């Protein structure tokens, strides 16, 4: 029997306090519609500068400031539509808003594509002279020189305009994937160990059942999940192949040596740093995690540890609950050392409806934080009253705190750092929450053990799930550049091989494990998955500094957050006292994970 939608809440039935307040962006849908119309018309404010950007320093400054103000309006319109469809992608009105927004953005991109192309006509010495003539341009130094770096990869103005006009089409693979997962996928309901029928959805699986202490429920939910993925595998393979083909062809058009070089360029990361992150962690972490897998199998009393069991709790009878309100207080206490300005942002996020925590039909799975400049961050989670949810919430609050501070201290064009750094503030919050819970439960060995498993969950998510996605991505791009068709069978085979090579013979894999490449929208976001491990490498070292040095380390960190995107990732991370060009820092983080696993094993033998 297929689960009926009636067994899950519709968006209209969700208590308003569990939803985010979109009126902070636009008072109502009509205001948004008007703003959407306005931004299309106001693109002329930018096109008025066509052919004039390199005239003089004053004109350039005026143009950049006009572009920033305009871009802020565009971001608000786009984010509003995205938040609507993320909260309920099954609502035709929300789908329509997203489609209108996408079409408008494509039209705008086409109109203003000249802006960066024209800036490329400037030489580095001309930019330096303009900054000298107009000191306010110093603010935009990195922005201008970052554009200059793209010079050899920019096409003719006509071609850039054509590509911008095709923006909606080029984004189609990601949009099709997201829409299908939110609106079309149906899952058979599942039974637990008591024989009771439970509703099934992707958010329920990813936020609850996959971590369930009930082996029957966990495995049955996995079977239901895989059964539905199997039905979509050829469609999703064609969608993903289209995305990969787009990237490969664009890299050739733009004269990059490889698609990897093109995708790493905006991150301002060397290929060596990229490969280090993937290779060092896979090689050094696998033995530790295989040791953990053996412990998990033993403690769960399983004849075999299946792929679907890997996220099961080590102590199934102990799964602490907490309400959203209790978790909020715990998180604020854990982050107290970050100081009043940071905590002010956290309190607002938790109490002023910056967080959407409901579970409803059509809601996007997983969790994210969207940070529209000039407004405030918006966080999406699915709350399940478990302490584990506190770690997810703390993670997203880390993103919110980062952009809350960066937005207060930087102009729009200087707000966002490289994605290589982006996951450091979020994972640091998880580590600080774990430290707090360990201190608060120093006389409770069972709770301490649970906290260690949550920390391992954080490392699992970032050092294993996302890192192995990155390893899979690397293989997929290699195959694509060699002309290998990326059929569903090829993608499933490659995904399964990556998993098996990491876990070895400690885990029993079924064919369904190979289908899990279909879970992740990050594959449509360039080389994003591996950056989670980079961020956690930084935050692990930073957490160590904070434990050992206290406030001086916190002060360094807050300055880094306030710096936004004003520096390259290596320089930004250096300001936090960490050298990410040295693979030894990756090994330090891996060794820390190993020490957690050793601590667990010892705790069971005492």
């Amino acid at each position: 029997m297929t689960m009926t939608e009636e067994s899950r809440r519709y968006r209209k039935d969700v208590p308003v306090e569990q939803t985010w307040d979109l009126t902070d962006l636009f008072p109502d849908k009509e205001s948004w519609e008007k703003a959407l119309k306005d931004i299309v018309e106001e693109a002329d404010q930018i096109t008025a500068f066509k052919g004039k950007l390199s005239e003089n320093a004053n004109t350039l400054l005026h143009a950049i400031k006009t572009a920033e103000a305009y871009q802020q309006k565009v971001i608000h319109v786009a984010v509003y539509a995205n938040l609507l469809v993320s909260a309920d992608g099954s609502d035709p009105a929300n789908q329509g808003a997203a489609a209108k927004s996408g079409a408008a953005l494509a039209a705008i991109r086409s109109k203003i594509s000249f802006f960066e192309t024209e800036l490329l006509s400037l030489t580095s010495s001309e930019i330096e002279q303009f900054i000298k003539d107009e000191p306010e341009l110093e603010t935009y130094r990195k922005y201008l020189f970052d554009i200059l770096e793209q010079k050899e990869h920019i096409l003719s103005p006509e071609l850039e305009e054509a590509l911008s006009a095709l923006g909606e089409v080029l984004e189609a693979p990601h949009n099709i994937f997201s829409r299908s997962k939110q609106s079309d996928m149906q899952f058979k309901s599942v039974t637990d160990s008591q024989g009771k029928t439970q509703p099934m959805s992707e958010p329920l699986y990813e936020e609850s059942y996959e971590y369930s202490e009930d082996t029957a429920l966990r495995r049955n939910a996995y079977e239901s999940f895989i059964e539905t993925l199997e039905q979509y595998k050829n469609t999703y393979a064609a969608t993903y192949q289209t995305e990969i083909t787009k990237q490969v062809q664009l890299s050739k058009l733009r004269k990059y040596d490889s698609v990897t070089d093109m995708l790493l360029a905006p991150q301002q990361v060397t290929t060596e740093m990229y490969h280090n992150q993937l290779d060092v962690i896979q090689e050094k972490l696998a033995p530790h995690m295989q040791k953990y897998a053996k412990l998990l199998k033993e403690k769960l009393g399983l004849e075999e540890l299946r792929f679907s069991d890997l996220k099961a709790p080590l102590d199934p009878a102990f799964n602490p609950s907490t309400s959203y309100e209790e978790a909020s207080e715990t998180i604020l206490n854990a982050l107290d050392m970050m100081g009043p300005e940071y905590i002010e942002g956290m309190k607002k996020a938790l109490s002023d409806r910056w967080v959407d925590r409901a579970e409803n039909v059509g809601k996007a799975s997983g969790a994210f934080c969207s940070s529209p400049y000039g407004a405030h961050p918006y966080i999406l989670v699915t709350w399940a009253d478990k302490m584990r949810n506190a770690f997810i919430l703390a993670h997203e609050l880390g993103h919110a705190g980062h952009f809350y501070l960066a937005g207060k201290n930087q102009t729009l064009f200087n707000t966002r750092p490289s994605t290589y750094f982006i996951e450091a503030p979020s994972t640091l919050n998880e580590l600080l929450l774990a430290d707090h819970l360990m201190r608060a439960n120093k006389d409770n060995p069972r709770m301490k053990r649970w906290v260690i498993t949550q920390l391992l969950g954080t490392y699992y998510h970032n050092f294993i799930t996302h890192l192995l996605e990155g390893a899979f991505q690397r293989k997929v791009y290699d195959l694509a550049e060699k002309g290998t068709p990326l059929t569903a069978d090829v993608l499933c085979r490659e995904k399964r091989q990556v998993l098996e090579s990491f876990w070895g013979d400690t885990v029993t894999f079924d064919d369904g494990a190979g289908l899990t490449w279909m879970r992740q929208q990050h594959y449509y976001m360039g080389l994003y998955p591996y950056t989670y491990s980079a961020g956690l490498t930084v935050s692990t070292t930073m957490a160590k500094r904070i434990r050992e040095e206290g406030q001086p380390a916190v002060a360094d960190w807050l300055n880094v957050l306030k710096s936004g995107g004003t520096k390259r990732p290596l320089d930004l991370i250096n300001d936090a006292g960490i050298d990410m060009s040295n693979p030894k820092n990756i090994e330090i983080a891996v060794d820390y994970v190993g020490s957690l696993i050793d601590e667990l094993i010892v705790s069971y033998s005492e």
Side-chain angles (χ1 to χ4, degrees):
M1 161 182 122
T2 302
M3 185 198 78
T4 59
E5 293 290 4
E6 283 72 24
S7 57
R8 293 175 62 209
R9 287 189 301 187
Y10 285 97
R11 185 70 178 178
K12 63 182 173 59
D13 301 321
V14 170
V16 71
E17 67 271 13
Q18 295 181 17
T19 66
W20 45 34
D21 184 2
L22 297 187
T23 62
D24 291 343
L25 277 174
F26 294 99
D28 48 44
K29 196 86 171 283
E30 289 70 33
S31 307
W32 174 79
E33 294 269 7
K34 182 181 182 305
L36 177 71
K37 186 166 171 284
D38 288 346
I39 59 169
V40 174
E41 291 170 2
E42 288 172 13
D44 291 344
Q45 292 176 2
I46 311 301
T47 55
F49 289 100
K50 203 168 189 176
K52 299 174 183 174
L53 292 180
S54 57
E55 276 182 0
N56 56 59
N58 186 262
T59 302
L60 179 58
L61 178 65
H62 183 41
I64 291 174
K65 286 191 164 184
T66 305
E68 272 191 323
Y70 175 69
Q71 197 64 40
Q72 181 172 320
K73 290 183 181 179
V74 172
I75 288 168
H76 285 203
V77 167
V79 166
Y80 185 86
N82 182 53
L83 295 179
L84 283 176
V85 86
S86 297
D88 184 4
S90 65
D91 184 333
N94 293 347
Q95 292 176 10
K100 279 184 193 173
S101 172
L105 291 177
I108 288 164
R109 275 195 295 266
S110 177
K111 271 189 169 185
I112 66 175
S113 64
F114 77 91
F115 200 87
E116 290 194 357
T117 312
E118 205 170 296
L119 287 176
L120 289 166
S121 66
L122 292 167
T123 64
S124 55
S125 57
E126 284 173 329
I127 291 173
E128 290 289 4
Q129 185 59 49
F130 278 179
I131 292 171
K132 200 173 170 185
D133 295 344
E134 180 51 83
E136 267 196 78
L137 279 171
E138 183 64 46
T139 303
Y140 303 101
R141 173 184 288 277
K142 183 173 181 292
Y143 166 74
L144 290 166
F145 278 97
D146 281 354
I147 290 172
L148 219 54
E149 278 188 5
Q150 303 169 36
K151 199 160 199 165
E152 62 186 290
H153 305 294
I154 295 294
L155 307 173
S156 69
E158 294 77 18
L159 275 175
E160 289 294 345
E161 192 171 331
L163 282 175
S164 295
L166 289 170
E168 203 177 351
V169 177
L170 295 173
E171 289 300 314
H174 188 186
N175 291 335
I176 291 166
F177 171 83
S178 300
R179 187 69 50 81
S180 171
K181 282 189 82 180
Q182 284 176 248
S183 307
D184 296 337
M185 278 194 169
Q186 299 289 312
F187 300 87
K188 286 184 179 175
S189 53
V190 295
T191 53
D192 59 22
S193 57
Q194 305 301 309
K196 290 181 181 171
T197 301
Q198 302 290 347
M200 173 66 182
S201 68
E202 187 179 22
L204 279 172
Y205 178 69
E206 295 198 338
E207 304 300 331
S208 181
Y209 299 155
E210 191 173 19
Y211 300 88
S212 175
E213 62 274 13
D214 184 332
T215 299
L217 176 60
R218 191 173 64 246
R219 290 179 172 181
N220 289 339
Y222 173 78
E223 293 299 328
S224 170
F225 186 59
I226 292 303
E227 188 180 321
T228 296
L229 290 186
E230 176 74 32
Q231 294 166 21
Y232 285 82
K233 69 178 183 182
N234 294 307
T235 301
Y236 280 22
T239 307
Y240 187 37
Q241 160 103 46
T242 305
E243 174 69 16
I244 297 294
T245 303
K246 172 189 87 177
Q247 301 288 11
V248 170
Q249 293 305 324
L250 282 173
S251 71
K252 288 176 180 173
L253 266 178
R254 295 194 179 282
K255 298 181 175 60
Y256 283 93
D257 291 338
S258 70
V259 66
T260 301
D261 286 341
M262 180 184 79
L263 295 173
L264 287 177
Q267 294 180 9
Q268 298 185 318
V269 168
T270 65
T271 50
E272 185 184 16
M273 285 163 67
Y274 165 67
H275 291 303
N276 278 345
Q277 204 66 36
L278 289 171
D279 295 336
V280 173
I281 293 180
Q282 281 186 95
E283 180 196 342
K284 304 283 185 183
L285 185 61
H288 293 303
M289 291 312 298
Q290 288 173 21
K291 205 181 340 180
Y292 174 75
K294 287 172 185 169
L295 178 69
L296 185 61
K297 179 186 173 187
E298 177 195 329
K299 294 304 164 191
L300 294 180
L302 299 173
E303 285 186 26
E304 61 175 9
L305 186 74
R306 299 182 191 173
F307 178 57
S308 56
D309 296 323
L310 278 170
K311 293 183 182 176
L314 194 59
D315 185 355
F318 189 72
N319 189 9
S321 296
T322 187
S323 67
Y324 175 78
E325 291 72 22
E326 289 168 342
S328 297
E329 191 176 339
T330 302
I331 291 167
L332 289 172
N333 288 334
L335 300 176
D336 189 56
M337 89 257 305
M338 298 290 276
E341 188 179 12
Y342 188 88
I343 290 297
E344 179 194 28
M346 296 295 96
K347 284 180 176 173
K348 284 180 178 177
L350 290 164
S351 59
D352 291 358
R353 290 179 56 207
W354 294 10
V355 180
D356 193 293
R357 63 185 194 269
E359 201 279 323
N360 58 261
V361 171
K363 186 169 179 176
S365 63
F368 67 72
C369 176
S370 182
S371 301
Y373 186 87
H376 61 70
Y378 282 89
I379 292 170
L380 179 137
V381 292
T382 303
W383 192 261
D385 273 343
K386 296 295 182 189
M387 183 63 87
R388 196 184 67 78
N389 290 108
F391 280 86
I392 296 168
L393 181 58
H395 177 103
E396 300 307 332
L397 284 168
H399 288 306
H402 182 193
F403 289 109
Y404 175 74
L405 292 180
K408 284 173 73 173
N409 288 277
Q410 303 299 336
T411 67
L412 172 56
F413 287 172
N414 283 331
T415 307
R416 298 196 76 82
S418 162
T419 52
Y420 186 81
F421 176 79
I422 219 87
E423 294 300 336
S426 51
T427 51
L428 180 67
N429 273 17
E430 292 186 66
L431 300 182
L432 295 177
L433 174 60
D435 283 353
H436 172 76
L437 291 172
M438 294 281 266
R439 287 192 301 273
N441 294 279
K442 60 180 185 295
D443 299 323
N444 184 343
R446 200 176 191 188
M447 184 65 182
K448 278 181 74 177
R449 187 188 290 157
W450 181 86
V451 174
I452 290 172
T453 62
Q454 296 316 293
L455 266 180
L456 287 175
T458 296
Y459 284 97
Y460 189 108
H461 186 69
N462 297 281
F463 269 15
I464 300 170
T465 301
H466 287 314
L467 189 92
L468 295 184
E469 286 167 358
F472 167 71
Q473 259 191 319
R474 182 166 65 175
K475 292 178 82 173
V476 166
Y477 280 119
D478 284 347
L479 289 170
E481 293 205 299
K482 289 172 186 165
T484 305
L486 299 174
T487 62
D489 287 347
V490 167
L491 294 170
C492 290
R493 182 192 72 217
E494 295 298 332
K495 180 66 177 178
R496 184 167 171 174
Q497 280 179 4
V498 165
L499 292 167
E500 287 179 335
S501 69
F502 184 84
W503 290 104
D505 58 6
T506 58
V507 176
T508 302
F509 288 92
D510 64 307
D511 288 340
L515 285 165
T516 53
W517 60 267
M518 296 168 62
R519 287 177 71 162
Q520 191 48 268
Q521 67 165 334
H522 291 157
Y523 293 141
Y524 297 85
M525 299 162 74
L527 293 180
Y528 188 32
Y530 93 97
T531 64
Y532 279 86
S533 68
L536 185 52
T537 301
V538 172
S539 60
T540 301
T541 312
M542 199 64 222
K544 186 169 181 282
R545 272 200 69 201
I546 290 172
R547 281 181 216 115
E548 293 169 358
E549 301 170 35
Q551 281 308 309
V554 170
D556 284 350
W557 188 245
L558 290 173
N559 282 333
V560 166
L561 299 185
K562 290 174 181 177
S563 296
T566 54
K567 294 187 176 183
R568 289 169 169 268
L570 269 184
D571 297 331
L572 198 62
I573 296 163
N574 265 330
D575 286 352
I578 302 161
D579 178 10
M580 279 300 284
S581 65
N582 185 350
K584 285 288 178 194
N585 273 311
I586 305 173
E587 291 184 30
I588 289 168
V590 171
D591 289 345
Y592 177 65
V593 180
S595 74
L596 292 173
I597 291 166
D598 290 341
E599 196 175 336
L600 270 184
I601 292 168
V602 168
S603 79
Y604 275 108
S605 61
E606 287 175 344

